[in-house]
Each structure stands twice: as C-alpha cells, then as structure tokens.
C-alpha cells in the first residue's frame, strides 16, 4: 500500500526525496490521507513490537529457568537409573517387551500474541503399565520411571518455549523492519511530497494573482487609450468628449493597439 503507485503519481524510488506526482488539490488531499494512514500504521506496529518484546523477554526468563531445572532432573534421573540397574540388573529387555503402544502423547495449541501464533505443546496423561513388582528392584525401577517422566515433561516444555522463542525473534525482526521503513523512509517522503505540493500550489496562486493584476492593468490602459481617442475625435468635431461606459479593445484602431502593445512593460525583466 505504501510503496505502490498512487492516483496522479508514478512509482517511487527509495533514493528520491519525495514521491513523483502532479501537484494539485486532489493529490494533496490524497497524500494527507496517506500520511494519516502511515502514521496510524507506524503507531500500531510500534505497539505490536513492544508487546512482542515483552513476551519475548518473559519466554527467555522461563526458558532459562526450565533449562536449569532440567539439569537437576537429568542428574536425579541418571542416578535413579543407576540404582535400578544395580539392584535389578539389565532391565532393557523388560522395557522393550512391555512397550506395545505409545505411552506418552502430546497435544499442540496456539497462543495469539499481537497477531503472532505461538505453538504450545502439552503432554497428555501417562498410560504406562507397571512392569515390576516390589521385589527384585521394583521400587527402584518405579522411581527411575517417575524421574524420567519429569525429565520428559521438562523437555516438552523446553521444546514449546524454544519454538515460541524462535518464532517471536523472527516476528520482532520483521516488525522492527516495517517500523523503521515507515519512520525513516515512507513518512518523510510523504511529508516532503506534501511540502512540495504546497509550495507548487502557492506558486500557482502567486502566478494567478500576478496574471489577474496584469489583465486589470491592461484593461485600464486600454480604457485610457479609448478615452483619449474619443477625446481627440470629439475635439476634432468641436464637441465635448464623453467617457466610455466600458472598455472595448476591439474598437481601438489597429495602429493604436499595436502602439499600445509595443510599449515597454516595467514588470517584465528582459
């Protein structure tokens, strides 16, 4: 919308100080509307960037805390697994034989933050069967399983936070680029274009005012010339001259009109 062509204007280039356009009242109104839209868009994008940065920092703090907790849980899980192996021996075959269906399932949902969808993973309830009794290290195996379940929950949470972290990072970069483009390029170019149109319209008004003054001066001089001709004609006929009611440039003789037009004009600089 901001970089496309506009009514009465051609395509803009980034190196130009303003948008090329035809100075007119309609174009001025269009660029004023365009400036209001760009300013409103800049304000909304700025608020969006602030909201994304706030959520980004919150996720960063949570991610740091969960990773630190993950280290402690991994140490505890490894220790309980070593205990289970020490008491019950090699339990890998028993674990493989007991697995029939997926014991852990996860669901995904999306949080909307300023129009950005952040994926959030959530573990469903564990549906594992107890494969060990009380004897032969059953209690140690159960503790190891619970420890690794806590580790798995932390891993899913880290995956969720890490995905949201990367998504927000990319969204913040895109939003900041748009904010900078509006603030540094689009809005200044629109303002320069409006200033250019105003200056051109003021110049046209001055030219029109000068033209009207010149037309009025020409009419007065033609009226004076017509009056002088009638005065000379009445004097030749012996009567009193009558003031003309309205200037009639075409009634003036060709010679007088040519002489009038050939007279130097003080307003024209040669």
């Amino acid at each position: 919308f901001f970089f496309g062509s506009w009514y009465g204007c051609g395509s803009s280039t980034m190196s130009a100080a303003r948008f090329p356009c035809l100075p007119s009242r309609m174009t001025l109104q269009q660029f004023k509307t365009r400036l209001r839209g760009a300013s409103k868009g800049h304000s909304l994008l700025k608020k969006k960037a602030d909201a994304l940065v706030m959520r980004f920092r919150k996720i960063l703090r949570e991610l740091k805390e969960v990773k630190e907790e993950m280290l402690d849980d991994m140490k505890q899980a490894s220790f309980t697994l070593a205990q289970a192996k020490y008491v019950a021996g090699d339990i890998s075959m028993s674990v493989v034989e007991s697995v029939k269906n997926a014991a852990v399932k996860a669901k995904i949902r999306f949080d909307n933050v300023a129009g950005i969808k952040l994926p959030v993973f959530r573990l469903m309830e564990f549906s594992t069967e107890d494969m060990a009794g009380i004897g032969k290290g059953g209690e140690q195996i159960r503790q190891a399983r619970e420890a690794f379940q806590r580790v798995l929950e932390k891993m899913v949470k880290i995956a969720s936070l890490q995905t949201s972290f990367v998504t927000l990072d990319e969204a913040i970069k895109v939003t900041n680029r748009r904010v900078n483009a509006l603030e540094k390029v689009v809005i200044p170019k629109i303002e320069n274009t409006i200033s250019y149109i105003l200056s051109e319209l003021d110049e046209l008004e001055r030219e029109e005012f000068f033209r009207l003054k010149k037309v009025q001066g020409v009419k007065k001089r033609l009226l004076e010339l017509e009056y002088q001709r009638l005065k000379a004609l009445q004097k030749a006929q012996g009567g009193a001259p009558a003031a003309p009611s309205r200037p009639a440039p075409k009634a003036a003789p060709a010679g007088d009109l040519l002489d009038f037009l050939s007279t130097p004009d003080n307003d024209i600089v040669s």
Side-chain angles (χ1 to χ4, degrees), residues 1-4 14 19 33-49 174-192:
F1 172 75
F2 295 105
F3 297 99
M14 297 301 294
F19 292 99
T33 304
R34 192 173 179 181
L35 179 61
R36 288 195 295 270
S39 301
K40 185 66 175 178
H42 176 267
S43 176
L44 293 176
L45 286 175
K46 193 69 175 176
K47 292 179 181 178
K48 177 181 178 180
V174 173
T175 305
N176 286 336
R177 282 197 296 267
R178 292 176 179 175
V179 170
N180 292 333
L182 287 174
E183 183 178 354
K184 305 297 183 182
V185 179
V186 177
I187 292 179
K189 289 182 70 174
I190 295 178
E191 291 176 348
N192 292 338

Side-chain angles (χ1 to χ4, degrees), residues 8-265:
C9 302
S11 60
S12 61
T13 57
M14 297 301 294
S15 59
R18 60 175 176 83
F19 292 99
C21 63
L22 180 65
S24 63
R25 297 290 180 184
M26 181 179 295
T27 307
L28 178 62
Q29 185 63 32
Q30 290 171 350
F31 271 98
K32 285 184 177 180
T33 304
R34 192 173 179 181
L35 179 61
R36 288 195 295 270
S39 301
K40 185 66 175 178
H42 176 267
S43 176
L44 293 176
L45 286 175
K46 193 69 175 176
K47 292 179 181 178
K48 177 181 178 180
D50 294 340
L52 293 178
V53 169
M54 186 180 302
R55 184 61 178 270
F56 181 81
R57 292 176 178 174
K58 181 180 179 182
I59 290 178
L60 184 60
R61 288 193 298 268
E62 291 181 0
L63 186 61
K64 181 177 179 296
E65 294 174 358
V66 174
K67 285 185 176 181
E68 291 176 351
E69 294 175 359
M70 176 76 175
L71 294 176
D72 297 335
D73 291 341
M74 284 293 295
K75 293 178 182 178
Q76 184 65 27
S78 300
F79 180 73
T80 55
L81 179 61
Q83 284 182 334
K85 287 183 177 181
Y86 178 78
V87 175
D90 188 8
I91 60 174
S92 59
M93 294 300 297
S94 301
V95 172
V96 173
E97 291 176 357
S98 64
V99 174
K100 297 179 181 179
N101 298 319
V104 180
K105 296 181 180 180
K107 284 186 177 181
I108 182 173
R109 62 181 178 86
F110 293 93
D111 286 345
N112 194 331
V113 180
I116 305 300
K117 292 184 178 180
L118 302 179
V120 178
F121 305 108
R122 184 175 61 87
L123 278 180
M124 299 175 64
E125 294 182 359
F126 291 93
S127 58
T128 58
E129 297 180 358
D130 194 357
M131 64 178 184
I134 299 177
K136 295 183 179 180
E139 183 64 24
Q140 286 77 11
I141 294 174
R142 189 178 298 107
Q143 292 177 359
R145 182 182 63 188
E146 293 175 355
F148 275 96
Q149 285 178 354
R150 290 193 296 271
V151 171
L152 184 59
E153 291 176 356
K154 290 291 192 304
M155 291 179 66
V156 172
K157 189 172 182 180
I158 289 175
S160 178
L161 293 175
Q162 189 71 32
T163 305
S164 300
F165 179 84
V166 174
T167 304
L168 278 179
D169 183 59
E170 185 64 26
I172 290 172
K173 290 179 181 178
V174 173
T175 305
N176 286 336
R177 282 197 296 267
R178 292 176 179 175
V179 170
N180 292 333
L182 287 174
E183 183 178 354
K184 305 297 183 182
V185 179
V186 177
I187 292 179
K189 289 182 70 174
I190 295 178
E191 291 176 348
N192 292 338
T193 305
I194 292 176
S195 300
Y196 163 74
I197 294 175
L198 289 175
S199 63
E200 290 295 321
L201 291 178
D202 291 341
E203 184 66 23
L204 290 176
E205 289 180 359
R206 287 192 293 268
E207 291 177 359
E208 182 66 16
F209 180 74
F210 179 76
R211 186 186 68 81
L212 292 176
K213 286 187 64 177
K214 293 300 295 181
V215 169
Q216 186 178 9
V218 168
K219 288 182 178 180
K220 287 182 179 180
R221 294 169 66 181
L222 285 176
L223 180 61
E224 182 67 22
L225 182 63
E226 179 67 14
Y227 178 75
Q228 294 295 334
R229 186 184 68 81
L230 292 177
K231 182 178 179 181
L233 182 61
Q234 293 292 335
K235 185 177 180 180
Q237 293 179 356
S245 60
R246 189 174 182 86
K250 63 180 181 180
D256 294 341
L257 184 59
L258 292 176
D259 293 340
F260 164 73
L261 294 176
S262 61
T263 55
D265 194 345

